[in-house]
Amino acid sequence: METTFGSSKNPKNTHYLVENYLESFRTLLPQQSKPSEQHSENKHSKEASVLPSILQRVECCNSSRSLWCPKCCRILIPSCHIPSCFLNKSYPLPFHLDIILDDKRQCATGMHAMALLGSSSDTNGVEDKLKKEEVRLIDIARGEALPSYANDGMNGTYLLFPVKGESVPLETVAHKIHRLVALDCKWTQPGLNQSRASLSKLPKVHLTNPPSQSQFWRWHNAGDGMLSTIEAIFYASLEVKIAQIEDEKQSTDMKNLQEENCSLESQDLDDKHNRAITSLLPILYLFGVQRAVAARDAIKSGRKIPWSNEAKLEQNLLRVCVGTEKHARDKKIGRVLKETNRSKPIMDLPKGDVSLRSAFEICSITDVK
């Protein structure tokens, strides 16, 4: 898979290169047409036969899975399809990474980084763990405790979390970052870091030049510039790597350079920037595959590509419920829950509350006007 690179110092150009990389995965899958178009059974069977082995299902952790296992983070892709940087056990990120997970594992893109960086697979499917200090997963749902960053003196540890008036552009402290902490939760749950003392005290950074639109297929209404976790990890890594290249350039003894070599030096710097992008793009590998599958399934069912502006607008309209029958029904369910909890002692209720299912059944008996 080859990509032609331009200057990576232009953020728009970088976003364009990332989109091209992700779009290239769609060529790995057979093209599916809309339901309105007729296909013969022979054509269906032919398409099925060319599905790459990258999507084959494998038994892991007592379940049939593809790509990777959300339980043990094992890569389930044949080694011939895995980017070589993960097979040779190299660690492409310019910092150590902590992923604080507060979401379903199968939905969290931060798990892609854990699967690719934390394990690799050879032809025998043998899992090979990298050093635990390089990439760590802390799963809140599993009751795992957050690291005590205060005990480390928080030296070089930063939280990737935009807070107006508090977080600073990442590129301004890129040379100081030793470990980056990334939150993997829904966009509607941004308060995780504020409720945990060890996280709230960490210095915060935000991406300097994030893309305005995410390539994620998961809908949200948090606005422009809100990326999936794996996208944020990629752009943060790129900013730090480019800063390291700039620092290396500045440390060169400029007195020993000839003026006629300045243009060549500038070209060499661009080449280094481009190599930085190339070395980091594989971190989006699983993201690219799942994105291609999401696009294929959407086209097959006659829906819009989920990350397109048209699809996002459609999802927003579907979620407008004020004044609708659904809104009235939801309000009645809320009233039933409230009245039921008031009329019964706490000890008589299961876990001190009435179930939503019971409230829904009560409301379904009467019509909602």
Side-chain angles (χ1 to χ4, degrees):
M1 190 180 305
E2 296 183 357
T3 308
T4 302
F5 292 98
S7 174
S8 60
K9 289 184 288 186
N10 184 345
K12 291 184 178 179
N13 190 55
T14 301
H15 308 333
Y16 173 76
L17 297 175
V18 171
E19 184 175 358
N20 276 355
Y21 174 77
L22 295 175
E23 280 293 307
S24 67
F25 285 92
R26 295 179 63 180
T27 63
L28 300 178
L29 301 176
Q31 296 300 311
Q32 298 284 356
S33 300
K34 295 180 180 180
S36 58
E37 300 180 11
Q38 298 296 323
H39 294 273
S40 65
E41 292 183 2
N42 290 336
K43 187 170 183 179
H44 276 304
S45 60
K46 183 178 180 180
E47 285 186 345
S49 66
V50 299
L51 276 174
S53 57
I54 192 174
L55 293 175
Q56 69 181 2
R57 303 194 71 82
V58 177
E59 186 74 18
C60 189
C61 295
N62 299 319
S63 183
S64 176
R65 308 180 187 279
S66 64
L67 298 181
W68 60 284
C69 177
K71 285 191 175 182
C72 67
C73 296
R74 176 190 171 197
I75 292 291
L76 305 178
I77 301 172
S79 59
C80 60
H81 295 298
I82 300 176
S84 59
C85 63
F86 301 118
L87 288 177
N88 60 25
K89 307 174 186 177
S90 62
Y91 185 79
L93 300 188
F95 44 68
H96 291 179
L97 177 66
D98 282 1
I99 300 172
I100 312 298
L101 179 64
D102 191 24
D103 199 357
K104 295 179 181 178
R105 286 194 167 208
Q106 60 270 28
C107 299
T109 61
M111 293 296 295
H112 296 174
M114 189 64 198
L116 290 169
L117 299 173
S119 66
S120 62
S121 171
D122 59 18
T123 53
N124 297 320
V126 178
E127 186 180 19
D128 180 31
K129 294 292 183 183
L130 293 174
K131 295 179 180 179
K132 292 182 179 180
E133 285 302 307
E134 290 182 340
V135 54
R136 302 186 298 192
L137 174 69
I138 299 91
D139 194 337
I140 302 298
R142 292 190 175 186
E144 297 176 2
L146 292 172
S148 181
Y149 296 109
N151 292 341
D152 298 333
M154 296 185 295
N155 186 21
T157 301
Y158 288 80
L159 177 65
L160 182 59
F161 192 82
V163 178
K164 188 174 182 179
E166 185 176 352
S167 60
V168 299
L170 192 149
E171 69 176 8
T172 62
V173 293
H175 61 286
K176 299 180 181 179
I177 296 178
H178 172 71
R179 180 178 298 279
L180 190 69
V181 181
L183 302 182
D184 200 334
C185 59
K186 294 180 180 179
W187 283 287
T188 54
Q189 298 174 337
L192 174 63
N193 69 313
Q194 301 297 335
S195 62
R196 316 256 176 191
S198 60
L199 287 181
S200 62
K201 294 179 180 179
L202 284 174
K204 299 175 181 62
V205 294
H206 59 259
L207 298 177
T208 308
N209 294 300
S212 60
Q213 295 295 329
S214 170
Q215 296 295 319
F216 199 16
W217 52 93
R218 190 174 179 180
W219 179 87
H220 73 88
N221 61 351
D224 293 342
M226 304 300 288
L227 308 179
S228 64
T229 302
I230 194 64
E231 289 175 291
I233 291 172
F234 166 81
Y235 282 103
S237 302
L238 183 59
E239 286 195 33
V240 173
K241 269 208 169 185
I242 289 180
Q244 291 175 348
I245 294 172
E246 298 282 357
D247 288 345
E248 181 183 346
K249 172 182 175 295
Q250 292 178 3
S251 64
T252 304
D253 187 3
M254 302 298 293
K255 294 180 181 180
N256 296 330
L257 297 177
Q258 301 288 339
E259 288 187 5
E260 57 266 26
N261 291 333
C262 288
S263 60
L264 177 61
E265 181 190 356
S266 178
Q267 182 63 44
D268 289 343
L269 187 61
D270 285 343
D271 290 341
K272 288 182 179 180
H273 287 178
N274 292 335
R275 286 197 296 271
I277 297 178
T278 307
S279 66
L280 291 172
L281 280 175
I283 199 67
L284 297 172
Y285 182 79
L286 292 177
F287 184 80
V289 174
Q290 288 192 323
R291 180 180 179 273
V293 172
R296 182 200 63 181
D297 293 345
I299 294 173
K300 184 179 179 181
S301 61
R303 294 179 285 109
K304 296 179 177 66
I305 302 298
W307 56 85
S308 65
N309 290 332
E310 294 81 5
K312 291 177 181 178
L313 176 60
E314 188 177 82
Q315 290 296 322
N316 281 332
L317 293 175
L318 287 174
R319 284 164 172 78
V320 175
C321 63
V322 176
T324 63
E325 183 177 345
K326 180 182 182 300
H327 184 220
R329 189 178 185 84
D330 289 343
K331 288 177 68 176
K332 187 157 188 174
I333 290 176
R335 286 195 298 269
V336 171
L337 286 170
K338 190 174 182 180
E339 293 300 323
T340 305
N341 284 328
R342 282 180 175 178
S343 62
K344 292 185 178 182
I346 296 297
M347 296 179 61
D348 294 340
L349 293 174
K351 297 183 180 180
D353 198 359
V354 66
S355 69
L356 182 61
R357 179 184 179 90
S358 299
F360 185 83
E361 290 173 348
I362 293 172
C363 287
S364 64
I365 298 176
T366 60
D367 293 331
V368 178
K369 300 297 182 181

